[in-house]
Amino acid sequence: MEKDELKILARNLANPQGEKGIEIGEMMNATNISMTLESIKTLLIEDDERILEIGPGNAGHLKNILNRARNLNYTGIDISETMYNEAKKLNKDFESQAEFILYEGKKLPFGDQVFDKIFTVNTVYFWEDPVAFLNEIYRILKDDGTFVLTFGQRRFMETLPFTEYNFTMYSNSEMEQLISESHFKRMKISEKEEDIQSKSGNETIHRIYTVLTIKK
């Protein structure tokens, strides 16, 4: 891909917009699905819980979440108006259990200790003030709640041609340091590997990613 194409791809991975954004949202759902399902499994969802996903994209995986327990309440919050509209449209059948919210990416518009489980996949690269945002997540998570943060490791992400454009990448130790600067106290690291199709072409690439289980 040419430099300008890579910049457009990077911009739409961070904040999908318009027709191109819808197309990239579909691609993200396909290429990230294993990371997303691993994150959902790690949450250990139970009946009657309230779940928040930060950056769900088109939320094509919502059915998988709602099938894991009874009487769940899901909220998906995103900075992309395109993804907000797509997620609402694709998940119309679940509107009694799920809501989607558009926000500005810094302050989470919820009261304190609202959610039992919170998760996010491949969004941390775009957080403007990561420690402040982690503290926002801490604030809205119940005392006995679980936060799962999933990200591609720096050594993998640096092999991708589009990540030089406004991505902040982390190794496990860098992420541990970041979280230690927040209010969170405990975390467990799980490292995963898989072969996936590239976002920028047809080749297969070997992805190394981390699932962090974080507690107060």
Side-chain angles (χ1 to χ4, degrees), residues 50-137:
R50 192 160 179 199
I51 298 154
L52 174 68
E53 182 176 6
I54 299 167
N58 65 19
H61 50 273
L62 177 56
K63 188 175 182 179
N64 183 281
I65 296 173
L66 298 178
N67 283 342
R68 286 183 177 258
R70 290 175 299 177
N71 196 34
L72 297 177
N73 182 288
Y74 168 95
T75 302
I77 189 164
D78 213 300
I79 61 170
S80 164
E81 188 172 359
T82 298
M83 289 297 94
Y84 163 77
N85 289 327
E86 278 297 287
K88 282 179 71 174
K89 185 173 78 178
L90 289 176
N91 294 289
K92 204 161 177 56
D93 290 349
F94 308 117
E95 58 189 8
S96 63
Q97 280 183 274
E99 67 169 341
F100 294 95
I101 293 171
L102 190 62
Y103 81 127
E104 38 61 57
K106 294 178 186 174
K107 295 288 184 186
L108 293 164
F110 309 105
D112 296 349
Q113 299 191 32
V114 170
F115 295 97
D116 300 283
K117 305 282 167 69
I118 301 174
F119 77 107
T120 190
V121 178
N122 285 336
T123 68
V124 69
Y125 327 115
F126 312 115
W127 295 359
E128 215 171 286
D129 186 339
V131 174
F133 197 66
L134 283 166
N135 288 337
E136 270 291 277
I137 294 167

